[in-house]
Amino acid sequence: MAQNKNALIRYKTIDKCLQNKYRQWTLQDLVEACSDALYEYEGRDVNVSLRTTQLDIQLMRSDKLGYNAPIEVYDKRFYRYADEDYSITNIPLTENDMTILNESVEMLKQFKNFSLFHDLDGVIQRLEDTIYVEKTHRSAIIHLDKNEQLKGLEHFDSIYQAIVKQICLVLSYRSFKAREPIQVQFHPYILKQFNNRWFVVGREEGRPQIMTFALDRIEQVDYNLELDYTTQDFNGDDFYKDTYGVTVLNDSMLMDVTLKIDKANAPYVLTKPFHHSQVLLETLEDGGVIIQLRVHLNMEFDRLLLGFGPSIEVLKPKILRNRIRGRFKLAYEQYLQETPKS
């Protein structure tokens, strides 16, 4: 057991002793009580010295732990709390405590439908009650992106449990282009998040290639206990190492990409790289930069570049440069037209 945990057990034991005002507590009594408590937790004798207990009392008296315990000595040998109602468990939360609790609760609530967190429901409610009682009236410091209308999250836990227990799924899946859903016998490997959407990645029964299904397009999830689950030694990190987003293409679309970033956007791209392969090739006289990265030329990467507008220029490869130029040309021609009347 870690020493800091032993210390917490001693503090709680001393606190419990001193709350008992019907008994006189000597230093030796407190030593024995701490030794008994540690034996109960560890199942073995732990030698608590007089010196250790004296230091514990000094720390509890100080504000180092936030206790400021009113421990006093009377009759030159007995210890007690000057305030009979005091306990280290009744210390009001500090402003920093409130901030940490508030943000922790908000993060935990993001997973409220996840079975691994079901046992935390009561804890979260008690924390929320504590925060309400001692409310600081400050707005949240940490603000998390969330979309309460995001579809498919009701399937998250079923898919997660199937991956953990290695069970095949039967997915009822309808793509944006399909009129009717299809039934897919699926071996799920990982759950992946990108751009505030969740995807399940795995292999369809009878097909060797890895497939990706968006949770928001899944209409129903069932288990197939009769089908043998196979992993094929799938590794998510290896599978996505050359990809921005979730669409993994074949090696013919894996290319070195050279980009010119203007001065205004260079710091953002350098401090938050597009991909782990990104390297700085040159810093230009006007403050812009030229970077290079090696990625699949998928639609997610196209959208990333298009989102920067004229701030990014594709220098290489030619296939990507022409593709992005064509998209901007279409957009330009579209905006040359008169604004349609509403």
Side-chain angles (χ1 to χ4, degrees):
M1 184 179 293
Q3 290 302 312
N4 60 344
K5 190 171 184 180
N6 285 352
L8 288 174
I9 293 171
R10 296 196 306 269
Y11 302 150
K12 291 180 66 176
T13 303
I14 294 172
D15 177 65
K16 186 176 181 180
C17 290
L18 299 185
Q19 286 182 72
N20 183 0
K21 59 185 178 182
Y22 300 106
R23 175 176 171 178
Q24 293 180 316
W25 296 94
T26 66
L27 185 61
Q28 185 60 43
D29 292 334
L30 296 176
V31 168
E32 292 174 1
C34 290
S35 298
D36 291 342
L38 288 171
Y39 178 81
E40 181 179 345
Y41 277 93
E42 291 199 5
R44 63 184 179 86
D45 291 327
V46 178
N47 182 26
V48 179
S49 66
L50 289 172
R51 178 60 178 163
T52 297
T53 306
Q54 287 175 325
L55 290 174
D56 289 343
I57 292 173
Q58 289 180 18
L59 280 171
M60 291 174 69
R61 282 171 170 161
S62 71
D63 62 357
K64 186 173 182 180
L65 301 175
Y67 293 156
N68 294 299
I71 302 174
E72 64 177 8
V73 180
Y74 65 101
D75 294 340
K76 298 183 178 180
R77 59 179 301 208
F78 301 114
Y79 291 81
R80 68 184 177 190
Y81 282 141
D83 179 0
E84 293 183 353
D85 296 326
Y86 178 85
S87 171
I88 62 175
T89 60
N90 295 333
I91 299 173
L93 295 172
T94 65
E95 185 175 346
N96 185 55
D97 295 335
M98 290 296 300
T99 299
I100 294 172
L101 279 175
N102 189 43
E103 306 306 342
S104 298
V105 166
E106 288 302 313
M107 283 187 278
L108 286 171
K109 286 169 68 177
Q110 305 295 309
F111 297 91
K112 60 186 177 182
N113 296 321
F114 195 10
S115 67
L116 291 182
F117 292 85
H118 284 174
D119 292 339
L120 288 176
D121 281 350
V123 176
I124 293 175
Q125 290 171 358
R126 290 195 295 273
L127 286 173
E128 287 187 300
D129 183 61
T130 300
I131 293 170
Y132 176 78
V133 171
E134 303 196 37
K135 199 170 183 180
T136 61
H137 303 290
R138 291 184 59 188
S139 59
I141 294 175
I142 299 175
H143 188 273
L144 300 172
D145 284 338
K146 57 183 178 180
N147 184 355
E148 297 292 346
Q149 297 180 345
L150 188 63
K151 297 180 179 180
L153 291 183
E154 67 271 18
H155 305 310
F156 188 97
D157 189 55
S158 298
I159 296 173
Y160 175 87
Q161 295 298 337
I163 295 172
V164 171
K165 297 170 184 175
Q166 297 191 334
I167 298 174
C168 290
L169 295 171
V170 181
L171 303 179
S172 179
Y173 186 84
R174 180 166 59 179
S175 68
F176 288 115
K177 298 179 180 179
R179 292 185 178 182
E180 299 294 332
I182 60 172
Q183 299 295 312
V184 181
Q185 304 285 332
F186 197 65
H187 301 253
Y189 297 155
I190 63 170
L191 283 156
K192 182 176 176 63
Q193 186 186 44
F194 175 72
N195 198 23
N196 205 28
R197 293 180 74 199
W198 281 97
F199 303 84
V200 57
V201 182
R203 184 180 59 83
E204 183 179 356
E205 174 65 16
R207 302 181 66 178
Q209 64 266 37
I210 298 298
M211 303 185 69
T212 303
F213 292 112
L215 264 62
D216 55 38
R217 306 309 303 163
I218 296 176
E219 297 188 352
Q220 187 175 345
V221 175
D222 290 317
Y223 297 122
N224 186 342
L225 302 178
E226 297 180 358
L227 191 62
D228 291 334
Y229 179 94
T230 59
T231 63
Q232 294 186 332
D233 297 322
F234 176 82
N235 184 294
D237 291 333
D238 290 340
F239 185 68
Y240 285 104
K241 66 182 175 129
D242 297 320
T243 300
Y244 174 84
V246 295
T247 306
V248 178
L249 304 177
N250 58 44
D251 287 346
S252 66
M253 297 303 292
L254 175 60
M255 299 186 186
D256 291 325
V257 178
T258 306
L259 304 172
K260 179 181 178 182
I261 320 294
D262 68 9
K263 177 182 178 180
N265 288 273
Y268 297 98
V269 176
L270 293 178
T271 55
K272 186 183 178 183
F274 294 149
H275 189 255
H276 66 83
S277 64
Q278 178 176 312
V279 293
L280 174 64
L281 295 183
E282 183 181 353
T283 299
L284 305 175
E285 292 184 0
D286 62 1
V289 296
I290 295 178
I291 63 171
Q292 186 179 78
L293 55 159
R294 184 171 178 80
V295 292
H296 288 122
L297 304 186
N298 59 20
M299 61 179 179
E300 293 100 310
F301 191 63
D302 281 6
R303 290 171 180 171
L304 171 69
L305 300 179
L306 291 168
F308 277 84
S311 299
I312 287 184
E313 179 185 356
V314 178
L315 302 181
K316 295 178 183 179
K318 187 175 182 180
I319 183 177
L320 180 61
R321 180 180 175 87
N322 290 340
R323 197 158 76 191
I324 297 298
R325 180 172 57 190
R327 299 282 179 85
F328 278 128
K329 182 180 179 181
L330 287 175
Y332 172 73
E333 292 173 349
Q334 179 175 315
Y335 278 96
L336 285 177
Q337 301 174 17
E338 292 294 329
T339 304
K341 295 180 180 180
S342 57

